[in-house]
Amino acid sequence: MANIKIKKGLDLNLEGAIAGTAMESVACKSFAVVPDDFTGVVPRLEVKEGDNVAAGDVLYHDKVYPEVKVTSPVAGRVAAIVRGERRKIEAIKIEADGSGKVKKFDIAGGDARSVLLESGLWCVMRQRPYDIVPNPAVAPRDIFVTAFDSAPLAPDFTLLLKGKEKYLQKGIDVLASLTKGSVYLGCRPDWVPNVKGCIVNTFEGPHPAGNVGVQIANVKPVNKGEMVWTLDVVSVVRIGELFSTGVVPFDTVVAVVGESVAKPHYAHCTMGCTVASLLGNGVVNPDNARIVSGNLLTGSRVSADGYLRFPYRQLSVITEVRNNADFLGWASLSPRRFSIYHSFTRWLLRGGTPAEVDAKINGGQRAIIMSGEYDRMLPMDILGEFLIKAIIAFDIDKMEQLGIYEVAPEDFALCEFADTSKLPLQQIVREGLDKLYKEMN
């Protein structure tokens, strides 16, 4: 076991963290599966509106690889198939009927790969390069698992796994059967599970130490022509439970956090439940709230009548706009004004007081400022500014030389937060990876 110290990055101490470990149970009747959550899967429906499904029944499969399937999290009726422009499937809504019907999978007769594909749990994994659902026809060089989340207001994984730790070893064994290489588990030093069949590394340092891409870069980087799979430890436990019981566990624990949440808490619910069921009436000034399914750096913006999105473990709510007319603007001397630099007087305050933030961009897009901002936030052997420029120009040779195969959009989330150029770096990286995938395949 190696201990790796991450020096670059930044921990964002924000208001709205959960105090304590109390957990609430959430009841919900409406659920949704959003195909955009599973990047790389082109959906072809296997159900239509009005069909009845059990939990674990297939909703759609991939157009290119039909064996890759996405399944229903609950038993009920397909209430609506929401389509957008060019008939793109934006969501499949399911009304639970309370029957509790679940599909049982043949964990004794089927091999691990086929069971994962049929159950839908294949889609909780991602492959690098391209950060997409893995190609089922190719075996990975290695599999990397992150056992902690360092993002702002992120939940404690030990609480998410409470009562299900017994399935971790089984999940590791299943992953080990899928690769001729190694399974790597990245943990914090204060929580190292006692598991066999994998290589455990501990990581110290600020966010993005919990990003699996950062862990790969500091353990065994991805080179051109290589492929690795990634997932979090919560998904590993879910896989282990499937191969122990024959049933996919669609329950999850969600951290409902943020300064606009009246009482931040943990909620036990089912994947894809409504945002309203998680929040209840606990939002301060709901007309001026930004709701994000996921963490504030990488999550998906959702409406108050929206649904919990993959990876189904965090819901963050902050103020949309705190003040449209800040006194003195960027020259303000207010100690409440947040900045990662010494632009404001807040840095003089010691003691780690949580910061208030809102969704304002505070400026417009401008040319990239080559000041090393990305480098301070990206603990990978990558020249971030040059890679972004190569992606914008779609210079494939330079993109390959600068490490495009190692990165995913989430690796640039903190860079985007700190970027004085206000560029949508995650969107740029996502579009670059998509274009490169089409070009190379």
Side-chain angles (χ1 to χ4, degrees):
M1 182 172 66
N3 183 57
I4 299 170
K5 295 184 178 181
I6 303 295
K7 296 182 179 179
K8 296 180 180 179
L10 178 70
D11 280 330
L12 297 175
N13 182 17
L14 306 181
E15 284 194 355
I18 298 175
T21 61
M23 193 172 303
E24 301 178 6
S25 294
V26 172
C28 182
K29 292 185 177 180
S30 181
F31 300 83
V33 174
V34 180
D36 280 351
D37 289 342
F38 308 106
T39 309
V41 176
V42 181
R44 176 159 288 181
L45 289 171
E46 293 196 15
V47 295
K48 60 183 183 295
E49 290 185 4
D51 284 355
N52 292 314
V53 294
D57 279 349
V58 178
L59 297 177
Y60 65 87
H61 64 261
D62 182 37
K63 182 178 179 180
V64 180
Y65 299 103
E67 60 269 40
V68 177
K69 300 173 181 178
V70 175
T71 55
S72 173
V74 293
R77 182 180 64 88
V78 178
I81 296 173
V82 183
R83 294 183 181 269
E85 295 182 3
R86 303 180 66 178
R87 292 186 57 78
K88 175 186 175 182
I89 302 171
E90 294 187 341
I92 302 170
K93 296 184 179 181
I94 304 163
E95 293 293 333
D97 59 12
S99 65
K101 293 180 180 178
V102 295
K103 182 177 180 179
K104 292 276 289 186
F105 294 90
D106 182 11
I107 56 176
D111 67 286
R113 184 179 295 260
S114 63
V115 173
L116 287 173
L117 288 165
E118 189 67 27
S119 68
L121 287 187
W122 186 268
C123 293
V124 303
M125 299 187 289
R126 295 292 180 269
Q127 77 167 43
R128 303 226 178 172
Y130 309 121
D131 188 44
I132 58 176
V133 172
N135 181 345
V138 181
R141 184 202 72 188
D142 299 297
I143 299 176
F144 287 82
V145 179
T146 180
F148 67 98
D149 192 344
S150 56
L153 304 176
D156 183 350
F157 275 14
T158 59
L159 292 176
L160 270 60
L161 301 179
K162 190 174 182 180
K164 296 192 175 186
E165 299 90 343
K166 59 185 177 181
Y167 299 119
L168 179 56
Q169 183 63 65
K170 185 63 176 181
I172 293 293
D173 294 341
V174 171
L175 294 180
S177 71
L178 299 174
T179 177
K180 293 182 179 179
S182 301
V183 176
Y184 292 88
L185 181 63
C187 308
R188 284 294 197 195
D190 58 354
W191 187 72
V192 181
N194 183 22
V195 290
K196 301 177 181 178
C198 64
I199 299 173
V200 179
N201 296 298
T202 58
F203 292 84
E204 298 181 62
H207 183 67
N211 284 9
V212 69
V214 171
Q215 297 175 14
I216 294 171
N218 286 273
V219 174
K220 194 176 180 182
V222 181
N223 299 310
K224 183 179 180 180
E226 296 179 336
M227 180 188 296
V228 300
W229 294 351
T230 67
L231 66 166
D232 59 49
V233 73
V234 179
S235 299
V236 177
V237 168
R238 193 166 279 122
I239 290 172
E241 187 170 353
L242 166 65
F243 280 85
S244 298
T245 64
V247 175
V248 180
F250 289 105
D251 62 311
T252 185
V253 175
V254 179
V256 183
V257 294
E259 64 173 64
S260 291
V261 177
K263 184 182 178 182
H265 61 279
Y266 286 103
H268 186 267
C269 60
T270 301
M271 297 177 181
C273 66
T274 61
V275 169
S277 66
L278 292 170
L279 293 176
N281 297 318
V283 178
V284 179
N285 192 7
D287 295 332
N288 189 31
R290 171 72 65 93
I291 305 174
V292 177
S293 182
N295 68 67
L296 293 172
L297 295 177
T298 65
S300 303
R301 184 179 181 180
V302 294
S303 61
D305 59 353
Y307 295 84
L308 182 67
R309 304 276 296 273
F310 180 85
Y312 311 115
R313 62 170 182 256
Q314 185 173 349
L315 188 72
S316 309
V317 189
I318 59 173
T319 302
E320 183 73 39
V321 178
R322 193 175 305 280
N323 189 348
N324 270 319
D326 290 335
F327 179 67
L328 296 180
W330 64 268
S332 171
L333 298 177
S334 171
R336 299 178 67 86
R337 231 12 226 283
F338 176 79
S339 176
I340 63 174
Y341 306 109
H342 290 180
S343 304
F344 304 101
T345 57
R346 181 181 175 81
W347 69 275
L348 294 171
L349 301 177
R350 304 298 180 185
T353 306
E356 295 178 346
V357 294
D358 60 22
K360 286 177 65 177
I361 298 178
N362 292 318
Q365 293 185 22
R366 63 208 76 168
I368 292 179
I369 301 170
M370 303 295 286
S371 60
E373 284 180 322
Y374 302 173
D375 185 60
R376 288 193 288 272
M377 300 295 162
L378 188 62
M380 303 170 73
D381 190 18
I382 287 175
L383 300 173
E385 285 130 335
F386 290 96
L387 177 56
I388 291 295
K389 285 190 171 185
I391 294 173
I392 293 173
F394 198 58
D395 187 328
I396 294 179
D397 289 338
K398 282 190 176 180
M399 289 162 64
E400 291 180 342
Q401 293 168 10
L402 292 167
I404 185 66
Y405 295 120
E406 296 185 53
V407 302
E410 69 173 8
D411 297 323
F412 280 83
L414 195 60
C415 301
E416 183 177 306
F417 177 79
D419 186 18
T420 52
S421 299
K422 313 295 181 182
L423 295 178
L425 300 183
Q426 294 181 82
Q427 179 183 334
I428 291 171
V429 174
R430 180 70 270 162
E431 291 175 353
L433 290 170
D434 291 343
K435 289 173 66 177
L436 184 62
Y437 179 76
K438 291 179 180 178
E439 187 75 19
M440 305 301 284
N441 294 275

